[in-house]
Short mmCIF file of all heavy atoms in Angstrom, two decimals:
data_model
loop_
_atom_site.label_atom_id
_atom_site.label_comp_id
_atom_site.label_asym_id
_atom_site.label_seq_id
_atom_site.Cartn_x
_atom_site.Cartn_y
_atom_site.Cartn_z
N MET A 9 57.74 -9.69 29.64
CA MET A 9 56.49 -9.47 28.93
C MET A 9 56.56 -10.03 27.52
O MET A 9 57.56 -9.87 26.83
CB MET A 9 56.19 -7.96 28.86
CG MET A 9 54.72 -7.68 28.66
SD MET A 9 54.38 -5.92 28.90
CE MET A 9 54.12 -5.42 27.23
N LYS A 10 55.54 -10.69 27.13
CA LYS A 10 55.54 -11.33 25.82
C LYS A 10 55.27 -10.33 24.70
O LYS A 10 54.38 -9.50 24.82
CB LYS A 10 54.46 -12.42 25.79
CG LYS A 10 54.85 -13.59 24.91
CD LYS A 10 53.76 -14.65 24.99
CE LYS A 10 53.99 -15.69 23.90
NZ LYS A 10 52.89 -16.63 23.81
N GLN A 11 56.08 -10.44 23.66
CA GLN A 11 55.90 -9.57 22.50
C GLN A 11 54.66 -10.00 21.73
O GLN A 11 54.39 -11.18 21.60
CB GLN A 11 57.11 -9.69 21.57
CG GLN A 11 58.39 -9.16 22.17
CD GLN A 11 58.52 -7.66 22.03
OE1 GLN A 11 57.82 -7.04 21.24
NE2 GLN A 11 59.39 -7.07 22.83
N PRO A 12 53.92 -9.03 21.20
CA PRO A 12 52.80 -9.41 20.33
C PRO A 12 53.32 -10.06 19.06
O PRO A 12 54.41 -9.73 18.60
CB PRO A 12 52.12 -8.07 20.01
CG PRO A 12 53.14 -7.03 20.28
CD PRO A 12 54.07 -7.60 21.33
N LYS A 13 52.56 -10.99 18.55
CA LYS A 13 52.99 -11.68 17.33
C LYS A 13 53.01 -10.75 16.15
O LYS A 13 52.09 -9.99 15.93
CB LYS A 13 52.01 -12.83 17.03
CG LYS A 13 52.54 -14.16 17.52
CD LYS A 13 51.76 -15.28 16.87
CE LYS A 13 52.32 -16.61 17.32
NZ LYS A 13 51.52 -17.73 16.85
N LYS A 14 54.09 -10.84 15.40
CA LYS A 14 54.22 -10.00 14.22
C LYS A 14 53.84 -10.80 12.98
O LYS A 14 54.23 -11.94 12.83
CB LYS A 14 55.66 -9.52 14.07
CG LYS A 14 55.92 -8.21 14.75
CD LYS A 14 57.21 -7.62 14.19
CE LYS A 14 57.61 -6.38 14.95
NZ LYS A 14 58.94 -5.95 14.60
N TYR A 15 53.14 -10.15 12.10
CA TYR A 15 52.83 -10.77 10.83
C TYR A 15 53.36 -9.89 9.71
O TYR A 15 53.35 -8.66 9.83
CB TYR A 15 51.32 -10.94 10.65
CG TYR A 15 50.74 -12.00 11.53
CD1 TYR A 15 49.76 -11.69 12.45
CD2 TYR A 15 51.16 -13.32 11.41
CE1 TYR A 15 49.20 -12.67 13.26
CE2 TYR A 15 50.62 -14.30 12.22
CZ TYR A 15 49.64 -13.97 13.14
OH TYR A 15 49.09 -14.94 13.93
N VAL A 16 53.79 -10.51 8.63
CA VAL A 16 54.19 -9.72 7.48
C VAL A 16 52.93 -9.24 6.76
O VAL A 16 51.87 -9.85 6.83
CB VAL A 16 55.06 -10.53 6.49
CG1 VAL A 16 56.40 -10.85 7.14
CG2 VAL A 16 54.36 -11.78 6.04
N GLU A 17 53.07 -8.10 6.11
CA GLU A 17 51.98 -7.60 5.27
C GLU A 17 51.91 -8.45 4.01
O GLU A 17 52.91 -8.67 3.35
CB GLU A 17 52.25 -6.15 4.88
CG GLU A 17 52.21 -5.18 6.02
CD GLU A 17 50.79 -4.70 6.29
OE1 GLU A 17 49.97 -4.75 5.37
OE2 GLU A 17 50.52 -4.28 7.42
N ILE A 18 50.73 -8.92 3.71
CA ILE A 18 50.55 -9.69 2.47
C ILE A 18 49.62 -8.91 1.55
O ILE A 18 48.50 -8.56 1.94
CB ILE A 18 50.00 -11.09 2.76
CG1 ILE A 18 50.97 -11.85 3.66
CG2 ILE A 18 49.79 -11.86 1.44
CD1 ILE A 18 50.43 -13.16 4.19
N ASP A 19 50.13 -8.63 0.37
CA ASP A 19 49.38 -7.81 -0.58
C ASP A 19 48.11 -8.52 -1.04
O ASP A 19 48.14 -9.71 -1.38
CB ASP A 19 50.29 -7.52 -1.77
CG ASP A 19 49.75 -6.40 -2.62
OD1 ASP A 19 49.98 -5.24 -2.26
OD2 ASP A 19 49.07 -6.70 -3.62
N ILE A 20 47.01 -7.80 -1.06
CA ILE A 20 45.73 -8.44 -1.41
C ILE A 20 45.75 -8.92 -2.86
O ILE A 20 45.14 -9.94 -3.18
CB ILE A 20 44.54 -7.50 -1.11
CG1 ILE A 20 43.22 -8.27 -1.23
CG2 ILE A 20 44.56 -6.28 -2.03
CD1 ILE A 20 42.06 -7.64 -0.53
N ASP A 21 46.45 -8.21 -3.74
CA ASP A 21 46.53 -8.65 -5.13
C ASP A 21 47.20 -10.02 -5.25
O ASP A 21 46.82 -10.84 -6.08
CB ASP A 21 47.32 -7.63 -5.98
CG ASP A 21 46.55 -6.34 -6.15
OD1 ASP A 21 45.31 -6.38 -6.12
OD2 ASP A 21 47.19 -5.28 -6.31
N ARG A 22 48.18 -10.23 -4.39
CA ARG A 22 48.88 -11.51 -4.38
C ARG A 22 47.93 -12.64 -3.95
O ARG A 22 47.95 -13.74 -4.49
CB ARG A 22 50.03 -11.40 -3.39
CG ARG A 22 51.04 -12.52 -3.49
CD ARG A 22 52.18 -12.25 -2.52
NE ARG A 22 52.94 -13.47 -2.32
CZ ARG A 22 53.75 -13.68 -1.29
NH1 ARG A 22 53.89 -12.75 -0.37
NH2 ARG A 22 54.39 -14.81 -1.19
N ILE A 23 47.08 -12.33 -2.99
CA ILE A 23 46.14 -13.33 -2.49
C ILE A 23 45.08 -13.64 -3.55
O ILE A 23 44.72 -14.81 -3.76
CB ILE A 23 45.49 -12.84 -1.19
CG1 ILE A 23 46.56 -12.66 -0.11
CG2 ILE A 23 44.42 -13.82 -0.72
CD1 ILE A 23 46.08 -11.91 1.11
N ILE A 24 44.60 -12.59 -4.22
CA ILE A 24 43.62 -12.80 -5.28
C ILE A 24 44.22 -13.66 -6.39
O ILE A 24 43.56 -14.57 -6.91
CB ILE A 24 43.11 -11.44 -5.81
CG1 ILE A 24 42.26 -10.76 -4.74
CG2 ILE A 24 42.31 -11.62 -7.11
CD1 ILE A 24 41.94 -9.31 -5.01
N ASP A 25 45.48 -13.41 -6.71
CA ASP A 25 46.17 -14.25 -7.70
C ASP A 25 46.16 -15.71 -7.27
O ASP A 25 45.90 -16.60 -8.07
CB ASP A 25 47.62 -13.79 -7.87
CG ASP A 25 47.75 -12.66 -8.87
OD1 ASP A 25 46.74 -12.34 -9.52
OD2 ASP A 25 48.86 -12.11 -9.01
N LEU A 26 46.47 -15.95 -6.02
CA LEU A 26 46.49 -17.33 -5.51
C LEU A 26 45.13 -17.98 -5.63
O LEU A 26 45.01 -19.13 -6.02
CB LEU A 26 46.92 -17.35 -4.04
CG LEU A 26 48.38 -17.12 -3.70
CD1 LEU A 26 48.60 -17.37 -2.22
CD2 LEU A 26 49.29 -18.02 -4.51
N CYS A 27 44.08 -17.22 -5.31
CA CYS A 27 42.72 -17.74 -5.41
C CYS A 27 42.40 -18.12 -6.85
O CYS A 27 41.81 -19.16 -7.12
CB CYS A 27 41.70 -16.71 -4.92
SG CYS A 27 41.69 -16.50 -3.15
N GLU A 28 42.83 -17.26 -7.78
CA GLU A 28 42.52 -17.50 -9.18
C GLU A 28 43.31 -18.67 -9.75
O GLU A 28 42.82 -19.40 -10.60
CB GLU A 28 42.79 -16.22 -10.00
CG GLU A 28 41.72 -15.18 -9.76
CD GLU A 28 42.03 -13.86 -10.46
OE1 GLU A 28 43.14 -13.70 -10.97
OE2 GLU A 28 41.12 -13.01 -10.48
N GLN A 29 44.52 -18.84 -9.27
CA GLN A 29 45.34 -19.96 -9.73
C GLN A 29 44.73 -21.30 -9.31
O GLN A 29 44.88 -22.29 -9.99
CB GLN A 29 46.76 -19.87 -9.16
CG GLN A 29 47.62 -18.85 -9.89
CD GLN A 29 48.97 -18.69 -9.21
OE1 GLN A 29 49.62 -19.65 -8.82
NE2 GLN A 29 49.41 -17.46 -9.05
N ASP A 30 44.05 -21.30 -8.18
CA ASP A 30 43.38 -22.51 -7.70
C ASP A 30 44.36 -23.68 -7.64
O ASP A 30 44.08 -24.76 -8.13
CB ASP A 30 42.20 -22.82 -8.62
CG ASP A 30 41.20 -23.74 -7.93
OD1 ASP A 30 41.25 -23.84 -6.69
OD2 ASP A 30 40.38 -24.35 -8.63
N ASP A 31 45.53 -23.44 -7.08
CA ASP A 31 46.65 -24.36 -7.17
C ASP A 31 47.07 -24.92 -5.81
O ASP A 31 48.15 -25.46 -5.69
CB ASP A 31 47.84 -23.58 -7.76
CG ASP A 31 48.46 -24.31 -8.94
OD1 ASP A 31 47.92 -25.36 -9.30
OD2 ASP A 31 49.45 -23.83 -9.48
N ASN A 32 46.19 -24.80 -4.81
CA ASN A 32 46.52 -25.24 -3.46
C ASN A 32 47.80 -24.61 -2.92
O ASN A 32 48.63 -25.26 -2.31
CB ASN A 32 46.63 -26.77 -3.38
CG ASN A 32 45.26 -27.40 -3.23
OD1 ASN A 32 44.23 -26.72 -3.22
ND2 ASN A 32 45.21 -28.71 -3.10
N LEU A 33 47.92 -23.31 -3.19
CA LEU A 33 49.03 -22.57 -2.63
C LEU A 33 48.54 -21.75 -1.45
O LEU A 33 47.45 -21.18 -1.48
CB LEU A 33 49.62 -21.60 -3.67
CG LEU A 33 50.63 -22.17 -4.67
CD1 LEU A 33 50.92 -21.13 -5.74
CD2 LEU A 33 51.91 -22.57 -3.97
N GLY A 34 49.37 -21.69 -0.44
CA GLY A 34 49.06 -20.85 0.71
C GLY A 34 50.22 -19.93 1.00
O GLY A 34 51.26 -20.02 0.35
N ILE A 35 50.04 -19.05 1.95
CA ILE A 35 51.12 -18.14 2.34
C ILE A 35 51.29 -18.19 3.85
O ILE A 35 50.31 -18.22 4.61
CB ILE A 35 50.83 -16.69 1.89
CG1 ILE A 35 50.72 -16.62 0.37
CG2 ILE A 35 51.92 -15.74 2.39
CD1 ILE A 35 50.37 -15.23 -0.15
N CYS A 36 52.54 -18.16 4.27
CA CYS A 36 52.86 -18.08 5.69
C CYS A 36 52.74 -16.64 6.15
O CYS A 36 53.36 -15.75 5.57
CB CYS A 36 54.27 -18.61 5.94
SG CYS A 36 54.84 -18.34 7.62
N ARG A 37 51.97 -16.41 7.17
CA ARG A 37 51.79 -15.03 7.66
C ARG A 37 52.97 -14.57 8.49
O ARG A 37 53.11 -13.39 8.76
CB ARG A 37 50.51 -14.94 8.50
CG ARG A 37 49.26 -15.14 7.68
CD ARG A 37 48.05 -14.77 8.48
NE ARG A 37 47.91 -13.33 8.59
CZ ARG A 37 47.23 -12.71 9.54
NH1 ARG A 37 46.64 -13.42 10.48
NH2 ARG A 37 47.11 -11.41 9.56
N SER A 38 53.82 -15.48 8.90
CA SER A 38 54.98 -15.07 9.69
C SER A 38 56.14 -14.62 8.83
O SER A 38 56.83 -13.66 9.15
CB SER A 38 55.44 -16.23 10.58
OG SER A 38 54.49 -16.44 11.59
N CYS A 39 56.38 -15.34 7.71
CA CYS A 39 57.55 -15.00 6.90
C CYS A 39 57.18 -14.61 5.47
O CYS A 39 58.02 -14.11 4.74
CB CYS A 39 58.55 -16.15 6.89
SG CYS A 39 58.01 -17.61 6.00
N GLY A 40 55.94 -14.85 5.05
CA GLY A 40 55.52 -14.44 3.73
C GLY A 40 55.85 -15.42 2.62
O GLY A 40 55.56 -15.16 1.46
N GLU A 41 56.43 -16.55 2.97
CA GLU A 41 56.76 -17.55 1.96
C GLU A 41 55.51 -18.30 1.51
O GLU A 41 54.58 -18.49 2.29
CB GLU A 41 57.76 -18.57 2.54
CG GLU A 41 59.17 -18.06 2.66
CD GLU A 41 59.84 -17.82 1.31
OE1 GLU A 41 59.65 -18.64 0.39
OE2 GLU A 41 60.53 -16.79 1.19
N GLU A 42 55.52 -18.71 0.25
CA GLU A 42 54.42 -19.52 -0.24
C GLU A 42 54.62 -20.97 0.15
O GLU A 42 55.74 -21.43 0.30
CB GLU A 42 54.33 -19.40 -1.77
CG GLU A 42 53.78 -18.06 -2.17
CD GLU A 42 53.69 -17.88 -3.69
OE1 GLU A 42 53.95 -18.83 -4.41
OE2 GLU A 42 53.37 -16.76 -4.10
N ALA A 43 53.52 -21.66 0.33
CA ALA A 43 53.58 -23.08 0.68
C ALA A 43 52.67 -23.85 -0.25
O ALA A 43 51.63 -23.36 -0.67
CB ALA A 43 53.15 -23.27 2.13
N TYR A 44 53.09 -25.06 -0.57
CA TYR A 44 52.32 -25.89 -1.49
C TYR A 44 51.47 -26.89 -0.75
O TYR A 44 51.71 -27.21 0.41
CB TYR A 44 53.28 -26.63 -2.43
CG TYR A 44 54.07 -25.70 -3.31
CD1 TYR A 44 55.32 -25.25 -2.92
CD2 TYR A 44 53.54 -25.27 -4.52
CE1 TYR A 44 56.04 -24.39 -3.72
CE2 TYR A 44 54.25 -24.41 -5.33
CZ TYR A 44 55.51 -23.97 -4.93
OH TYR A 44 56.21 -23.12 -5.71
N GLY A 45 50.46 -27.40 -1.44
CA GLY A 45 49.61 -28.44 -0.86
C GLY A 45 48.75 -27.92 0.26
O GLY A 45 48.47 -28.62 1.23
N VAL A 46 48.33 -26.65 0.15
CA VAL A 46 47.51 -26.02 1.18
C VAL A 46 46.12 -25.77 0.62
O VAL A 46 45.96 -25.04 -0.36
CB VAL A 46 48.14 -24.68 1.63
CG1 VAL A 46 47.30 -24.02 2.70
CG2 VAL A 46 49.56 -24.90 2.12
N GLU A 47 45.12 -26.39 1.20
CA GLU A 47 43.76 -26.18 0.73
C GLU A 47 43.36 -24.72 0.94
O GLU A 47 43.85 -24.06 1.84
CB GLU A 47 42.76 -27.07 1.50
CG GLU A 47 42.98 -28.56 1.30
CD GLU A 47 44.01 -29.11 2.27
OE1 GLU A 47 44.33 -28.43 3.25
OE2 GLU A 47 44.49 -30.24 2.02
N PRO A 48 42.46 -24.20 0.09
CA PRO A 48 42.07 -22.78 0.20
C PRO A 48 41.55 -22.40 1.58
O PRO A 48 41.69 -21.25 2.00
CB PRO A 48 40.98 -22.63 -0.86
CG PRO A 48 41.26 -23.71 -1.85
CD PRO A 48 41.83 -24.86 -1.07
N ASP A 49 40.94 -23.36 2.30
CA ASP A 49 40.38 -23.03 3.61
C ASP A 49 41.28 -23.51 4.76
O ASP A 49 40.84 -23.60 5.90
CB ASP A 49 38.96 -23.57 3.75
CG ASP A 49 38.92 -25.10 3.66
OD1 ASP A 49 39.95 -25.70 3.27
OD2 ASP A 49 37.88 -25.67 4.00
N ALA A 50 42.54 -23.79 4.44
CA ALA A 50 43.46 -24.27 5.48
C ALA A 50 43.84 -23.16 6.45
O ALA A 50 43.88 -21.99 6.09
CB ALA A 50 44.73 -24.82 4.83
N ARG A 51 44.08 -23.57 7.69
CA ARG A 51 44.51 -22.62 8.72
C ARG A 51 45.64 -23.22 9.54
O ARG A 51 45.60 -24.38 9.88
CB ARG A 51 43.38 -22.33 9.70
CG ARG A 51 42.25 -21.55 9.11
CD ARG A 51 41.23 -21.31 10.18
NE ARG A 51 40.00 -20.78 9.62
CZ ARG A 51 38.97 -20.40 10.34
NH1 ARG A 51 39.02 -20.51 11.65
NH2 ARG A 51 37.91 -19.92 9.77
N ARG A 52 46.58 -22.37 9.88
CA ARG A 52 47.63 -22.73 10.83
C ARG A 52 48.39 -23.99 10.45
O ARG A 52 48.71 -24.81 11.31
CB ARG A 52 47.05 -22.86 12.24
CG ARG A 52 46.37 -21.59 12.70
CD ARG A 52 45.76 -21.74 14.09
NE ARG A 52 46.80 -21.95 15.10
CZ ARG A 52 47.45 -20.96 15.70
NH1 ARG A 52 47.18 -19.72 15.41
NH2 ARG A 52 48.36 -21.23 16.59
N TYR A 53 48.67 -24.13 9.17
CA TYR A 53 49.56 -25.21 8.75
C TYR A 53 50.98 -24.82 9.09
O TYR A 53 51.30 -23.64 9.23
CB TYR A 53 49.45 -25.43 7.24
CG TYR A 53 48.30 -26.30 6.82
CD1 TYR A 53 47.19 -26.46 7.63
CD2 TYR A 53 48.32 -26.95 5.59
CE1 TYR A 53 46.13 -27.25 7.23
CE2 TYR A 53 47.27 -27.74 5.17
CZ TYR A 53 46.17 -27.90 6.00
OH TYR A 53 45.14 -28.67 5.58
N LYS A 54 51.84 -25.84 9.21
CA LYS A 54 53.22 -25.55 9.55
C LYS A 54 53.98 -25.06 8.33
O LYS A 54 53.89 -25.63 7.25
CB LYS A 54 53.90 -26.80 10.11
CG LYS A 54 55.24 -26.49 10.71
CD LYS A 54 55.85 -27.70 11.39
CE LYS A 54 57.21 -27.31 11.94
NZ LYS A 54 57.95 -28.48 12.42
N CYS A 55 54.74 -23.98 8.51
CA CYS A 55 55.53 -23.41 7.45
C CYS A 55 56.87 -24.14 7.35
O CYS A 55 57.55 -24.29 8.36
CB CYS A 55 55.77 -21.93 7.72
SG CYS A 55 56.89 -21.15 6.54
N GLU A 56 57.22 -24.56 6.14
CA GLU A 56 58.48 -25.28 5.97
C GLU A 56 59.67 -24.33 5.94
O GLU A 56 60.80 -24.74 6.07
CB GLU A 56 58.44 -26.12 4.69
CG GLU A 56 57.49 -27.29 4.86
CD GLU A 56 57.48 -28.21 3.65
OE1 GLU A 56 58.31 -28.01 2.75
OE2 GLU A 56 56.63 -29.10 3.61
N SER A 57 59.41 -23.04 5.74
CA SER A 57 60.50 -22.07 5.71
C SER A 57 60.90 -21.61 7.10
O SER A 57 62.08 -21.56 7.42
CB SER A 57 60.10 -20.86 4.88
OG SER A 57 59.89 -21.22 3.54
N CYS A 58 59.92 -21.27 7.94
CA CYS A 58 60.25 -20.70 9.24
C CYS A 58 59.80 -21.56 10.41
O CYS A 58 60.14 -21.29 11.55
CB CYS A 58 59.68 -19.29 9.36
SG CYS A 58 57.89 -19.22 9.55
N GLY A 59 58.99 -22.60 10.13
CA GLY A 59 58.59 -23.52 11.18
C GLY A 59 57.38 -23.08 11.99
O GLY A 59 56.89 -23.82 12.84
N ALA A 60 56.89 -21.85 11.73
CA ALA A 60 55.72 -21.37 12.46
C ALA A 60 54.45 -22.01 11.91
O ALA A 60 54.38 -22.36 10.72
CB ALA A 60 55.63 -19.85 12.34
N ARG A 61 53.46 -22.19 12.77
CA ARG A 61 52.18 -22.71 12.27
C ARG A 61 51.34 -21.52 11.82
O ARG A 61 50.34 -21.17 12.44
CB ARG A 61 51.48 -23.52 13.36
CG ARG A 61 52.31 -24.71 13.83
CD ARG A 61 51.52 -25.64 14.70
NE ARG A 61 50.50 -26.34 13.93
CZ ARG A 61 50.70 -27.48 13.26
NH1 ARG A 61 51.88 -28.05 13.28
NH2 ARG A 61 49.74 -28.04 12.60
N SER A 62 51.78 -20.92 10.71
CA SER A 62 51.17 -19.67 10.26
C SER A 62 50.81 -19.70 8.78
O SER A 62 50.64 -18.66 8.17
CB SER A 62 52.13 -18.51 10.50
OG SER A 62 52.44 -18.41 11.87
N VAL A 63 50.73 -20.91 8.21
CA VAL A 63 50.38 -21.00 6.80
C VAL A 63 48.86 -21.07 6.66
O VAL A 63 48.20 -21.89 7.29
CB VAL A 63 51.03 -22.22 6.13
CG1 VAL A 63 50.56 -22.36 4.69
CG2 VAL A 63 52.54 -22.11 6.19
N TYR A 64 48.33 -20.17 5.83
CA TYR A 64 46.89 -20.12 5.60
C TYR A 64 46.61 -20.29 4.11
O TYR A 64 47.39 -19.86 3.27
CB TYR A 64 46.32 -18.78 6.07
CG TYR A 64 46.28 -18.65 7.57
CD1 TYR A 64 47.44 -18.40 8.29
CD2 TYR A 64 45.09 -18.80 8.26
CE1 TYR A 64 47.42 -18.29 9.67
CE2 TYR A 64 45.05 -18.69 9.64
CZ TYR A 64 46.22 -18.45 10.34
OH TYR A 64 46.18 -18.35 11.70
N GLY A 65 45.47 -20.89 3.80
CA GLY A 65 45.05 -21.04 2.41
C GLY A 65 44.60 -19.72 1.82
O GLY A 65 44.32 -18.75 2.54
N ALA A 66 44.52 -19.69 0.49
CA ALA A 66 44.23 -18.43 -0.21
C ALA A 66 42.90 -17.80 0.22
O ALA A 66 42.82 -16.60 0.45
CB ALA A 66 44.24 -18.69 -1.71
N GLU A 67 41.86 -18.62 0.34
CA GLU A 67 40.57 -18.05 0.70
C GLU A 67 40.54 -17.53 2.13
O GLU A 67 39.94 -16.50 2.42
CB GLU A 67 39.45 -19.09 0.50
CG GLU A 67 39.10 -19.26 -0.97
CD GLU A 67 38.07 -20.37 -1.21
OE1 GLU A 67 37.45 -20.82 -0.24
OE2 GLU A 67 37.94 -20.78 -2.37
N GLU A 68 41.23 -18.25 3.02
CA GLU A 68 41.33 -17.78 4.41
C GLU A 68 42.06 -16.45 4.48
O GLU A 68 41.66 -15.55 5.21
CB GLU A 68 42.07 -18.81 5.26
CG GLU A 68 41.21 -19.97 5.69
CD GLU A 68 40.09 -19.53 6.62
OE1 GLU A 68 40.35 -18.73 7.53
OE2 GLU A 68 38.96 -19.99 6.42
N LEU A 69 43.14 -16.35 3.71
CA LEU A 69 43.90 -15.10 3.69
C LEU A 69 43.06 -13.95 3.17
O LEU A 69 43.08 -12.84 3.72
CB LEU A 69 45.14 -15.26 2.80
CG LEU A 69 46.24 -16.17 3.35
CD1 LEU A 69 47.20 -16.55 2.26
CD2 LEU A 69 46.99 -15.47 4.49
N LEU A 70 42.28 -14.25 2.14
CA LEU A 70 41.44 -13.21 1.55
C LEU A 70 40.43 -12.68 2.57
O LEU A 70 40.23 -11.48 2.72
CB LEU A 70 40.72 -13.78 0.33
CG LEU A 70 40.07 -12.76 -0.61
CD1 LEU A 70 41.11 -11.81 -1.18
CD2 LEU A 70 39.34 -13.48 -1.74
N VAL A 71 39.83 -13.60 3.30
CA VAL A 71 38.87 -13.20 4.34
C VAL A 71 39.55 -12.35 5.40
O VAL A 71 39.02 -11.31 5.82
CB VAL A 71 38.23 -14.46 4.99
CG1 VAL A 71 37.45 -14.07 6.24
CG2 VAL A 71 37.34 -15.17 3.99
N MET A 72 40.75 -12.74 5.79
CA MET A 72 41.46 -12.00 6.84
C MET A 72 41.87 -10.60 6.38
O MET A 72 41.74 -9.64 7.11
CB MET A 72 42.68 -12.78 7.30
CG MET A 72 42.33 -13.84 8.29
SD MET A 72 43.80 -14.60 8.99
CE MET A 72 44.25 -15.67 7.66
N VAL A 73 42.40 -10.53 5.15
CA VAL A 73 42.88 -9.25 4.66
C VAL A 73 41.72 -8.33 4.29
O VAL A 73 41.73 -7.14 4.61
CB VAL A 73 43.83 -9.46 3.45
CG1 VAL A 73 44.18 -8.13 2.80
CG2 VAL A 73 45.10 -10.18 3.90
N ALA A 74 40.70 -8.91 3.65
CA ALA A 74 39.56 -8.09 3.23
C ALA A 74 38.72 -7.70 4.45
O ALA A 74 38.11 -6.63 4.47
CB ALA A 74 38.72 -8.86 2.23
N GLY A 75 38.68 -8.56 5.44
CA GLY A 75 37.87 -8.28 6.62
C GLY A 75 38.64 -7.38 7.51
O GLY A 75 38.23 -6.67 8.35
ZN1 ZN B 120 56.98 -19.06 7.47
#
């Protein structure tokens, strides 16, 4: 049986900071590492730390966490 995908908890304050920095930073939902060169509306970019396609842009993360 396949395990459900686990995501790390990402603090909403951290995401708001990223949005305010407006620096094309994203966060990997699998390992929590920050990634560079990620547009705010990016989805499922490849994470250079863990290799998962779980990097999301700041605005996408905000929508997911706030929603
Ligand atoms: Zn990762």
Side-chain angles (χ1 to χ4, degrees):
M9 203 169 106
K10 212 177 168 188
Q11 294 278 343
K13 262 196 178 173
K14 269 198 187 170
Y15 289 120
V16 293
E17 293 274 336
I18 300 170
D19 195 82
I20 191 160
D21 291 332
R22 193 177 164 199
I23 297 168
I24 290 168
D25 275 352
L26 285 187
C27 287
E28 286 175 350
Q29 282 175 44
D30 200 17
D31 231 3
N32 278 2
L33 277 171
I35 298 177
C36 172
R37 293 191 75 202
S38 290
C39 69
E41 285 292 319
E42 286 179 6
Y44 296 93
V46 180
E47 297 86 15
D49 62 348
R51 291 181 191 185
R52 302 179 65 85
Y53 277 22
K54 191 174 179 189
C55 174
E56 290 183 8
S57 296
C58 72
R61 300 191 70 87
S62 301
V63 175
Y64 288 76
E67 283 175 14
E68 280 295 316
L69 289 164
L70 194 61
V71 169
M72 278 188 282
V73 171

